[in-house]
Amino acid sequence: MLKSVLLIFTILINTAAVLQKTGPNDQGHMDYYRSLNDKETRLIEFKDDDKALQLKVAQLDIINKSRKKFRVKPVQLDILASRVANKMCMEAAENKYISHWDMAGEKPYHRYAFAGGYDHISENAFGEWTTGWYDNSSTTVLKMMKDGHESFMAERAPANGHKKNVIDISHNYVGIGFYLTKNQFRYYEEFINRYLEFENIPASLNVNEAGSISFKTDGSCFPYFITIYREDFPLPLKPEQLNKKGSYSDFSNQQYLNIPAWDIARQKNGNSYTIPLMFTKEGLYYIQVFIDKREITTPVKLSTKGRTIASGIVIKVVK
């Protein structure tokens, strides 16, 4: 019997952070995550049953032990990101590929945004397969998830993208997905930066239609810079194409608009901001809001290096 393993990592444009949010006192407690799981209505067809949720809570502890070794705060389990990961794992395993792109040609930030997520996401992906048969048991799944995660943590620079993602101080949530067939296993980690509260985010706009995005801070951080990237609508990909792809870039090669802190500050009302937007060409627009501890209201030299990306908004613009 032959067994093969493949893992791929993401290229991140930011790995530093500002503040971490404190998790609930009962973090990791099954009742807490069961309640969140029952309340979440998005991607309901990929909802974890109680058994799968228990496995993920156990895996969350393993992830947080890795973070603790590097003196970064623990992450909480994100239910929506876990369902996004479940969907990706299922498609990848059943079609025998591993990639950060899915068969619709979508990258991680597309999938999370289209599911209703607005925070920034960065993905680790692991796959394993065999010419024999896997034992379909909780023990097998737990071991394979642990092995996948440990393969990330065993990486050495400069080829240590997974590991850097796991221990990034910016992250405060993680989605966990897995899927096991008779001879294919997939395991994905979706790390989240959640620092802003979003509202009134349009899923789509028409070309030249006036729109806006709104978000609120908790007063401990401030918007520092907004970058908006444009990209063409994704095209479908076949499994053989997906298997040839490696890391993904957390942006496109078309910068549409940059908004500095002082211009953002003009849109402030208390701790809330409403940013007017209009797009002149159809496509997908990926909006990254960087945050910082300081509030900047007058022009100064800015650099996004070392700043946390706190959004992953994607807006479809059509004619």
Side-chain angles (χ1 to χ4, degrees):
M1 180 178 70
L2 298 177
K3 184 171 73 173
S4 299
V5 176
L6 180 66
L7 48 87
I8 55 178
F9 62 90
T10 177
I11 297 175
L12 301 177
I13 62 173
N14 259 286
T15 56
V18 284
L19 300 172
Q20 287 284 347
K21 288 186 176 179
T22 302
N25 293 330
D26 58 350
Q27 179 181 331
H29 191 278
M30 190 60 195
D31 288 342
Y32 172 72
Y33 288 115
R34 184 181 292 113
S35 175
L36 291 182
N37 195 37
D38 289 341
K39 290 177 182 177
E40 178 58 72
T41 59
R42 294 168 291 185
L43 285 186
I44 196 70
E45 64 272 33
F46 294 98
K47 178 182 178 181
D48 288 311
D49 61 21
D50 212 55
K51 178 180 174 182
L53 190 62
Q54 287 178 333
L55 297 180
K56 292 186 179 184
V57 170
Q59 183 67 9
L60 177 67
D61 184 59
I62 290 172
I63 291 171
N64 281 329
K65 284 179 179 177
S66 294
R67 289 176 63 84
K68 186 177 181 180
K69 288 179 182 178
F70 289 84
R71 300 179 181 178
V72 293
K73 292 184 178 181
V75 290
Q76 301 174 44
L77 185 66
D78 185 80
I79 300 300
L80 178 61
S82 293
R83 293 183 188 178
V84 171
N86 286 346
K87 182 180 179 182
M88 180 64 182
C89 288
M90 178 178 176
E91 182 184 284
E94 291 187 344
N95 290 279
K96 299 180 180 179
Y97 75 83
I98 179 168
S99 177
H100 290 299
W101 285 258
D102 62 19
M103 293 177 67
E106 296 169 358
K107 293 197 277 187
Y109 58 83
H110 296 134
R111 293 192 292 274
Y112 185 59
F114 295 160
Y118 302 127
D119 307 297
H120 187 263
I121 191 168
S122 51
E123 179 178 273
N124 283 347
F126 172 87
E128 182 177 312
W129 53 93
T130 180
T131 56
W133 296 78
Y134 286 125
D135 174 38
N136 186 10
S137 68
S138 295
T139 301
T140 298
V141 171
L142 277 174
K143 181 181 185 304
M144 295 174 82
M145 285 199 294
K146 183 179 179 182
D147 289 348
H149 179 77
E150 288 183 348
S151 71
F152 301 157
M153 299 309 298
E155 293 173 343
R156 295 180 179 272
N160 60 341
H162 287 103
K163 182 177 180 179
K164 289 169 66 177
N165 196 19
V166 172
I167 62 176
D168 189 328
I169 195 173
S170 301
H171 303 328
N172 45 21
Y173 288 83
V174 66
I176 299 172
F178 68 83
Y179 193 80
L180 178 67
T181 70
K182 64 181 182 181
N183 57 13
Q184 297 279 332
F185 175 74
R186 298 294 182 272
Y187 170 69
Y188 278 61
E189 296 174 347
E190 312 287 352
F191 287 96
I192 303 291
N193 300 345
R194 179 166 297 147
Y195 296 91
L196 302 174
E197 182 181 341
F198 298 94
E199 55 185 13
N200 301 324
I201 306 298
S204 64
L205 290 170
N206 293 322
V207 171
N208 294 323
E209 177 185 0
S212 65
I213 60 169
S214 298
F215 55 86
K216 183 186 299 183
T217 76
D218 63 3
S220 64
C221 64
F222 301 91
Y224 179 85
F225 200 78
I226 296 177
T227 297
I228 303 178
Y229 297 94
R230 184 205 167 272
E231 53 193 289
D232 294 335
F233 294 113
L235 297 174
L237 296 168
K238 297 179 180 179
E240 54 267 29
Q241 294 174 298
L242 292 164
N243 280 324
K244 294 177 182 178
K245 286 182 169 288
S247 302
Y248 72 99
S249 297
D250 191 36
F251 50 85
S252 74
N253 59 5
Q254 299 179 52
Q255 274 200 7
Y256 178 78
L257 182 66
N258 293 317
I259 309 174
W262 51 89
D263 285 341
I264 303 171
R266 296 191 183 102
Q267 312 300 328
K268 182 180 180 181
N269 181 11
N271 286 336
S272 298
Y273 300 79
T274 298
I275 311 300
L277 296 171
M278 182 180 290
F279 303 103
T280 59
K281 185 179 180 181
E282 65 178 344
L284 295 180
Y285 289 80
Y286 179 39
I287 303 173
Q288 295 183 339
V289 180
F290 293 81
I291 58 173
D292 193 64
K293 295 178 182 178
R294 300 176 299 150
E295 182 175 28
I296 299 172
T297 58
T298 57
V300 294
K301 185 177 181 180
L302 299 179
S303 172
T304 58
K305 184 177 181 180
R307 291 346 189 264
T308 293
I309 309 174
S311 75
I313 298 167
V314 179
I315 298 175
K316 296 179 182 180
V317 177
V318 298
K319 289 183 179 179

